[in-house]
């Protein structure tokens, strides 16, 4: 009975039918197996999950999956939290990825931390979702991030050898039609899973904020920008913010990203909670990986402004 339940995944009712007894007796026998030591359950988690907080956030925002790093992380330095949140995201992607997938990765420090924690993936294509952020060291750039994951999966790599933010629309269009970049952009419609980071429209918390001049940052903020994902902007209600930035970044479009069946978003820390809340309200995200500090703030935000009954990602 224990083997059928714990190893083969049969339900207690199925086991009861097979052995000709009530499911309550099966439950008692399984409990006895654990108490006697016949069955031992062990956890080997590099980044332990707060199950209760995870479930509360999942229900509040009607997501498919939420993984919240345990509360002890609230006392740790941000770099440590980033690494542990990245490890959680890596475990999630390893668990749900299949050989038929086409996986997209946007650049961010948290996504980079995830790629360094990945140990196994099916053989599937890995697609870069946006260009290289200026000022990053070579190891942290999105091209190298894609290369590392491709080395694990053994699948085909689709990089973008070009900057994220370009000076004008004409330059952007020219680069988008370059053979290598055009090949990567052609993969966006084939994506089945994507991993992105949620940024806040503040210094040091966005992939594009620090690449713009003061006037453009201020103009975008005046339009209500609160959050950013792969260089696409959202206001506090989760609505897209249209600015000139849309036309001079090398990145997947908001519409293409929303069409991806499974979007895993990484967003953590209390200062980013409002940005995470905004992106979750956009209905783009299906799974969230975060920490306890952000999760507690998210529950307060969801309580103060509950999602409407029809919220949630379209199936």
């Amino acid at each position: 009975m224990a083997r059928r339940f714990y190893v083969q995944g049969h339900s207690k009712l199925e086991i009861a039918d097979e052995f000709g007894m009530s499911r309550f007796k099966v439950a008692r026998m399984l409990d006895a197996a654990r108490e006697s030591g016949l069955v031992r359950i062990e956890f080997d988690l590099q980044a332990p999950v707060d199950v209760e907080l995870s479930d509360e956030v999942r229900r509040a925002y009607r997501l498919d999956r939420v993984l919240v790093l345990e509360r002890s992380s609230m006392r740790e330095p941000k770099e440590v939290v980033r690494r542990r949140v990245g490890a959680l995201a890596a475990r999630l992607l390893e668990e749900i990825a299949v050989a038929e997938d086409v996986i997209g990765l946007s650049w961010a420090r948290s996504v980079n931390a995830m790629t360094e924690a990945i140990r196994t993936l099916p053989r599937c294509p890995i697609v870069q979702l946006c260009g290289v952020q200026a000022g990053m060291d070579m190891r942290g750039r999105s091209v190298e991030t894609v290369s590392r994951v491709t080395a694990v999966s053994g699948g085909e790599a689709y990089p973008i050898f070009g900057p994220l933010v370009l000076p004008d629309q004409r330059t952007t269009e020219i680069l988008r039609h370059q053979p290598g970049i055009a090949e990567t952009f052609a993969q966006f419609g084939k994506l089945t899973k994507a991993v992105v980071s949620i940024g806040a429209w503040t210094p040091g918390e966005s992939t594009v904020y620090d690449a713009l001049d003061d006037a453009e940052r201020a103009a975008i903020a005046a339009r209500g920008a609160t959050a950013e994902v792969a260089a696409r902007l959202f206001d506090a209600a989760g609505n897209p913010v249209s600015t000139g930035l849309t036309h001079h970044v090398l990145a997947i479009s908001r519409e293409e990203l929303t069409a991806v069946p499974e979007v895993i978003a990484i967003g953590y820390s209390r200062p980013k909670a409002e940005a995470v809340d905004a992106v979750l309200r956009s209905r783009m995200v299906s799974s969230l990986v975060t920490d306890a500090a952000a999760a507690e703030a998210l529950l307060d935000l969801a309580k103060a402004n509950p999602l409407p009954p029809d919220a949630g990602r379209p199936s």
Side-chain angles (χ1 to χ4, degrees):
M1 288 182 185
R3 180 175 180 79
R4 282 165 172 72
F5 184 73
Y6 290 107
V7 179
Q8 298 175 341
H10 294 184
S11 70
K12 293 175 184 176
L13 185 58
E14 289 172 331
I15 297 170
D17 289 342
E18 181 180 352
F19 285 87
M21 61 180 65
S22 74
R23 62 185 175 90
F24 301 105
K25 186 171 183 180
V26 171
R28 288 196 297 272
M29 294 182 74
L30 291 173
D31 288 341
R34 289 177 58 184
E35 291 168 2
S36 68
L38 176 65
V39 171
R40 296 187 302 276
I41 298 176
E42 298 180 356
F43 294 92
D44 182 17
L45 299 175
Q46 294 181 355
V49 173
D50 188 313
V51 177
E52 183 178 351
L53 260 182
S54 299
D55 193 50
E56 287 184 47
V57 174
R58 181 188 60 78
R59 286 188 280 108
Y61 288 92
R62 304 190 186 118
L63 299 170
D64 294 338
R65 304 177 188 87
V66 172
L67 297 178
V68 176
L69 188 64
E70 65 178 359
R71 281 185 169 87
S72 65
S73 64
M74 297 170 72
R75 300 186 296 273
E76 296 175 331
K78 189 173 183 179
E79 294 76 14
V80 174
V81 175
R82 179 188 302 131
R83 187 170 64 250
R84 297 181 71 196
V85 167
L88 270 185
R91 299 292 85 78
L92 174 59
L93 186 60
E94 289 174 344
E95 181 179 329
I96 67 175
V98 296
E100 294 75 24
D101 278 330
V102 178
I103 299 175
L105 300 176
S106 73
W107 184 88
R109 288 183 290 266
S110 55
V111 176
N112 197 42
M114 181 202 75
T115 65
E116 292 184 342
I118 287 177
R119 298 293 175 263
T120 179
L121 277 180
R123 186 179 180 86
C124 54
I126 307 298
V127 182
Q128 187 175 329
L129 300 183
C130 50
V132 175
Q133 185 183 14
M136 291 303 303
D137 63 61
M138 188 59 67
R139 181 168 174 77
R141 292 185 174 185
S142 48
V143 173
E144 283 64 41
T145 298
V146 168
S147 297
R148 284 198 297 273
V149 179
T150 302
V152 174
S153 76
E156 198 165 356
Y158 291 92
I160 296 177
F161 290 101
L164 174 59
V165 181
L166 293 157
D168 52 55
Q169 185 173 356
R170 182 173 180 274
T171 306
T172 304
E173 289 302 319
I174 290 172
L175 281 179
R176 283 185 180 180
H177 288 90
Q178 293 297 309
I181 295 177
E183 185 181 23
T184 296
F185 270 67
Q187 303 303 311
F188 292 164
K190 304 175 185 177
L191 295 170
T192 58
K193 291 182 174 65
V195 183
V196 300
S197 174
I198 298 174
W201 198 246
T202 55
E205 298 293 351
S206 161
T207 56
V208 294
Y209 183 96
D210 296 321
L212 305 179
D213 59 37
D214 290 341
E216 191 164 8
R217 291 174 195 159
I220 290 173
R223 288 178 174 267
T226 298
E228 175 257 328
V229 174
R232 305 307 175 186
L233 306 175
F234 300 87
D235 66 17
N239 301 311
V241 176
S242 180
T243 70
L245 181 65
T246 303
H247 305 295
H248 61 102
V249 292
L250 279 179
I252 188 171
S253 70
R254 178 187 59 82
E255 293 81 6
E256 288 169 322
L257 191 52
T258 302
V260 178
E262 174 81 31
V263 176
I264 301 168
I266 304 173
Y268 62 98
S269 80
R270 176 61 187 84
K272 274 192 180 179
E274 287 79 7
V276 176
D277 173 73
V279 173
L280 296 184
R281 292 176 187 275
S282 76
R283 305 175 72 188
M284 174 187 289
V285 173
S286 53
S287 297
L288 174 69
V289 183
T290 188
D291 67 340
E296 291 180 348
L298 285 171
L299 292 176
D300 290 339
L301 291 166
K303 183 177 180 181
N305 183 19
L307 273 67
D310 61 346
R313 203 164 196 260
S315 57

PDB file of all heavy atoms in Angstrom, residues 264-282:
ATOM      1  N   ILE A 264       6.601  32.364 -16.180  1.00  0.00           N
ATOM      2  CA  ILE A 264       7.105  32.351 -14.809  1.00  0.00           C
ATOM      3  C   ILE A 264       7.762  33.701 -14.544  1.00  0.00           C
ATOM      4  O   ILE A 264       8.701  34.088 -15.243  1.00  0.00           O
ATOM      5  CB  ILE A 264       8.132  31.230 -14.601  1.00  0.00           C
ATOM      6  CG1 ILE A 264       7.513  29.863 -14.905  1.00  0.00           C
ATOM      7  CG2 ILE A 264       8.686  31.253 -13.176  1.00  0.00           C
ATOM      8  CD1 ILE A 264       8.536  28.741 -14.994  1.00  0.00           C
ATOM      9  N   ALA A 265       7.278  34.419 -13.550  1.00  0.00           N
ATOM     10  CA  ALA A 265       7.833  35.726 -13.208  1.00  0.00           C
ATOM     11  C   ALA A 265       8.575  35.640 -11.888  1.00  0.00           C
ATOM     12  O   ALA A 265       8.109  35.001 -10.937  1.00  0.00           O
ATOM     13  CB  ALA A 265       6.738  36.772 -13.122  1.00  0.00           C
ATOM     14  N   ILE A 266       9.738  36.277 -11.844  1.00  0.00           N
ATOM     15  CA  ILE A 266      10.509  36.378 -10.610  1.00  0.00           C
ATOM     16  C   ILE A 266      10.451  37.829 -10.156  1.00  0.00           C
ATOM     17  O   ILE A 266      10.809  38.743 -10.908  1.00  0.00           O
ATOM     18  CB  ILE A 266      11.977  35.960 -10.835  1.00  0.00           C
ATOM     19  CG1 ILE A 266      12.056  34.551 -11.426  1.00  0.00           C
ATOM     20  CG2 ILE A 266      12.758  36.029  -9.526  1.00  0.00           C
ATOM     21  CD1 ILE A 266      13.461  34.133 -11.833  1.00  0.00           C
ATOM     22  N   GLY A 267       9.952  38.044  -8.953  1.00  0.00           N
ATOM     23  CA  GLY A 267       9.867  39.398  -8.405  1.00  0.00           C
ATOM     24  C   GLY A 267       9.922  39.320  -6.895  1.00  0.00           C
ATOM     25  O   GLY A 267       9.076  38.660  -6.289  1.00  0.00           O
ATOM     26  N   TYR A 268      10.889  39.950  -6.286  1.00  0.00           N
ATOM     27  CA  TYR A 268      11.087  39.792  -4.848  1.00  0.00           C
ATOM     28  C   TYR A 268      11.519  41.117  -4.217  1.00  0.00           C
ATOM     29  O   TYR A 268      11.855  42.058  -4.921  1.00  0.00           O
ATOM     30  CB  TYR A 268      12.142  38.715  -4.573  1.00  0.00           C
ATOM     31  CG  TYR A 268      13.499  39.069  -5.129  1.00  0.00           C
ATOM     32  CD1 TYR A 268      14.481  39.621  -4.307  1.00  0.00           C
ATOM     33  CD2 TYR A 268      13.796  38.885  -6.473  1.00  0.00           C
ATOM     34  CE1 TYR A 268      15.721  39.974  -4.819  1.00  0.00           C
ATOM     35  CE2 TYR A 268      15.028  39.234  -6.989  1.00  0.00           C
ATOM     36  CZ  TYR A 268      15.985  39.780  -6.162  1.00  0.00           C
ATOM     37  OH  TYR A 268      17.199  40.143  -6.683  1.00  0.00           O
ATOM     38  N   SER A 269      11.466  41.167  -2.900  1.00  0.00           N
ATOM     39  CA  SER A 269      11.817  42.289  -2.025  1.00  0.00           C
ATOM     40  C   SER A 269      10.627  43.227  -1.841  1.00  0.00           C
ATOM     41  O   SER A 269       9.836  43.444  -2.751  1.00  0.00           O
ATOM     42  CB  SER A 269      13.047  43.070  -2.514  1.00  0.00           C
ATOM     43  OG  SER A 269      12.722  43.958  -3.543  1.00  0.00           O
ATOM     44  N   ARG A 270      10.529  43.773  -0.644  1.00  0.00           N
ATOM     45  CA  ARG A 270       9.423  44.660  -0.298  1.00  0.00           C
ATOM     46  C   ARG A 270       9.346  45.886  -1.211  1.00  0.00           C
ATOM     47  O   ARG A 270       8.247  46.263  -1.638  1.00  0.00           O
ATOM     48  CB  ARG A 270       9.543  45.091   1.174  1.00  0.00           C
ATOM     49  CG  ARG A 270       8.485  46.107   1.612  1.00  0.00           C
ATOM     50  CD  ARG A 270       7.090  45.522   1.461  1.00  0.00           C
ATOM     51  NE  ARG A 270       6.037  46.497   1.713  1.00  0.00           N
ATOM     52  CZ  ARG A 270       5.574  47.353   0.800  1.00  0.00           C
ATOM     53  NH1 ARG A 270       6.070  47.371  -0.420  1.00  0.00           N
ATOM     54  NH2 ARG A 270       4.594  48.176   1.103  1.00  0.00           N
ATOM     55  N   PRO A 271      10.461  46.538  -1.578  1.00  0.00           N
ATOM     56  CA  PRO A 271      10.352  47.713  -2.445  1.00  0.00           C
ATOM     57  C   PRO A 271       9.758  47.419  -3.818  1.00  0.00           C
ATOM     58  O   PRO A 271       9.259  48.341  -4.475  1.00  0.00           O
ATOM     59  CB  PRO A 271      11.806  48.189  -2.571  1.00  0.00           C
ATOM     60  CG  PRO A 271      12.472  47.689  -1.333  1.00  0.00           C
ATOM     61  CD  PRO A 271      11.830  46.365  -1.054  1.00  0.00           C
ATOM     62  N   LYS A 272       9.803  46.167  -4.253  1.00  0.00           N
ATOM     63  CA  LYS A 272       9.260  45.824  -5.554  1.00  0.00           C
ATOM     64  C   LYS A 272       7.819  45.327  -5.496  1.00  0.00           C
ATOM     65  O   LYS A 272       7.242  44.984  -6.524  1.00  0.00           O
ATOM     66  CB  LYS A 272      10.112  44.739  -6.219  1.00  0.00           C
ATOM     67  CG  LYS A 272      11.301  45.262  -6.999  1.00  0.00           C
ATOM     68  CD  LYS A 272      11.892  44.142  -7.848  1.00  0.00           C
ATOM     69  CE  LYS A 272      13.078  44.635  -8.649  1.00  0.00           C
ATOM     70  NZ  LYS A 272      13.672  43.543  -9.464  1.00  0.00           N
ATOM     71  N   ALA A 273       7.231  45.275  -4.311  1.00  0.00           N
ATOM     72  CA  ALA A 273       5.907  44.657  -4.165  1.00  0.00           C
ATOM     73  C   ALA A 273       4.858  45.335  -5.045  1.00  0.00           C
ATOM     74  O   ALA A 273       4.030  44.651  -5.666  1.00  0.00           O
ATOM     75  CB  ALA A 273       5.478  44.679  -2.701  1.00  0.00           C
ATOM     76  N   GLU A 274       4.855  46.670  -5.104  1.00  0.00           N
ATOM     77  CA  GLU A 274       3.858  47.369  -5.918  1.00  0.00           C
ATOM     78  C   GLU A 274       4.035  47.029  -7.401  1.00  0.00           C
ATOM     79  O   GLU A 274       3.049  46.891  -8.134  1.00  0.00           O
ATOM     80  CB  GLU A 274       3.961  48.884  -5.710  1.00  0.00           C
ATOM     81  CG  GLU A 274       3.435  49.368  -4.362  1.00  0.00           C
ATOM     82  CD  GLU A 274       4.415  49.147  -3.232  1.00  0.00           C
ATOM     83  OE1 GLU A 274       5.565  48.739  -3.513  1.00  0.00           O
ATOM     84  OE2 GLU A 274       4.052  49.381  -2.060  1.00  0.00           O
ATOM     85  N   ALA A 275       5.284  46.894  -7.834  1.00  0.00           N
ATOM     86  CA  ALA A 275       5.534  46.529  -9.227  1.00  0.00           C
ATOM     87  C   ALA A 275       5.061  45.102  -9.509  1.00  0.00           C
ATOM     88  O   ALA A 275       4.459  44.823 -10.553  1.00  0.00           O
ATOM     89  CB  ALA A 275       7.026  46.664  -9.547  1.00  0.00           C
ATOM     90  N   VAL A 276       5.335  44.195  -8.583  1.00  0.00           N
ATOM     91  CA  VAL A 276       4.877  42.808  -8.753  1.00  0.00           C
ATOM     92  C   VAL A 276       3.355  42.761  -8.797  1.00  0.00           C
ATOM     93  O   VAL A 276       2.758  42.088  -9.653  1.00  0.00           O
ATOM     94  CB  VAL A 276       5.420  41.915  -7.616  1.00  0.00           C
ATOM     95  CG1 VAL A 276       4.858  40.500  -7.737  1.00  0.00           C
ATOM     96  CG2 VAL A 276       6.945  41.878  -7.641  1.00  0.00           C
ATOM     97  N   ASP A 277       2.712  43.493  -7.894  1.00  0.00           N
ATOM     98  CA  ASP A 277       1.249  43.571  -7.877  1.00  0.00           C
ATOM     99  C   ASP A 277       0.713  44.060  -9.218  1.00  0.00           C
ATOM    100  O   ASP A 277      -0.244  43.494  -9.766  1.00  0.00           O
ATOM    101  CB  ASP A 277       0.808  44.518  -6.756  1.00  0.00           C
ATOM    102  CG  ASP A 277      -0.684  44.802  -6.761  1.00  0.00           C
ATOM    103  OD1 ASP A 277      -1.471  43.915  -6.385  1.00  0.00           O
ATOM    104  OD2 ASP A 277      -1.059  45.924  -7.172  1.00  0.00           O
ATOM    105  N   ALA A 278       1.347  45.082  -9.790  1.00  0.00           N
ATOM    106  CA  ALA A 278       0.891  45.641 -11.065  1.00  0.00           C
ATOM    107  C   ALA A 278       0.981  44.605 -12.180  1.00  0.00           C
ATOM    108  O   ALA A 278       0.046  44.446 -12.974  1.00  0.00           O
ATOM    109  CB  ALA A 278       1.732  46.869 -11.419  1.00  0.00           C
ATOM    110  N   VAL A 279       2.100  43.887 -12.246  1.00  0.00           N
ATOM    111  CA  VAL A 279       2.283  42.908 -13.319  1.00  0.00           C
ATOM    112  C   VAL A 279       1.323  41.725 -13.142  1.00  0.00           C
ATOM    113  O   VAL A 279       0.771  41.206 -14.123  1.00  0.00           O
ATOM    114  CB  VAL A 279       3.749  42.431 -13.373  1.00  0.00           C
ATOM    115  CG1 VAL A 279       3.907  41.289 -14.377  1.00  0.00           C
ATOM    116  CG2 VAL A 279       4.657  43.592 -13.748  1.00  0.00           C
ATOM    117  N   LEU A 280       1.092  41.311 -11.920  1.00  0.00           N
ATOM    118  CA  LEU A 280       0.136  40.218 -11.690  1.00  0.00           C
ATOM    119  C   LEU A 280      -1.266  40.619 -12.114  1.00  0.00           C
ATOM    120  O   LEU A 280      -2.044  39.797 -12.596  1.00  0.00           O
ATOM    121  CB  LEU A 280       0.152  39.794 -10.222  1.00  0.00           C
ATOM    122  CG  LEU A 280       1.470  39.201  -9.701  1.00  0.00           C
ATOM    123  CD1 LEU A 280       1.302  38.746  -8.254  1.00  0.00           C
ATOM    124  CD2 LEU A 280       1.942  38.052 -10.564  1.00  0.00           C
ATOM    125  N   ARG A 281      -1.608  41.901 -11.972  1.00  0.00           N
ATOM    126  CA  ARG A 281      -2.922  42.382 -12.398  1.00  0.00           C
ATOM    127  C   ARG A 281      -3.035  42.455 -13.922  1.00  0.00           C
ATOM    128  O   ARG A 281      -4.144  42.533 -14.463  1.00  0.00           O
ATOM    129  CB  ARG A 281      -3.211  43.744 -11.781  1.00  0.00           C
ATOM    130  CG  ARG A 281      -3.411  43.700 -10.271  1.00  0.00           C
ATOM    131  CD  ARG A 281      -3.611  45.075  -9.647  1.00  0.00           C
ATOM    132  NE  ARG A 281      -3.639  44.974  -8.198  1.00  0.00           N
ATOM    133  CZ  ARG A 281      -4.720  44.692  -7.481  1.00  0.00           C
ATOM    134  NH1 ARG A 281      -5.881  44.514  -8.100  1.00  0.00           N
ATOM    135  NH2 ARG A 281      -4.665  44.593  -6.171  1.00  0.00           N
ATOM    136  N   SER A 282      -1.913  42.422 -14.621  1.00  0.00           N
ATOM    137  CA  SER A 282      -1.945  42.496 -16.088  1.00  0.00           C
ATOM    138  C   SER A 282      -2.421  41.198 -16.725  1.00  0.00           C
ATOM    139  O   SER A 282      -2.687  41.172 -17.922  1.00  0.00           O
ATOM    140  CB  SER A 282      -0.542  42.817 -16.617  1.00  0.00           C
ATOM    141  OG  SER A 282       0.294  41.668 -16.569  1.00  0.00           O
TER     142      SER A 282
END
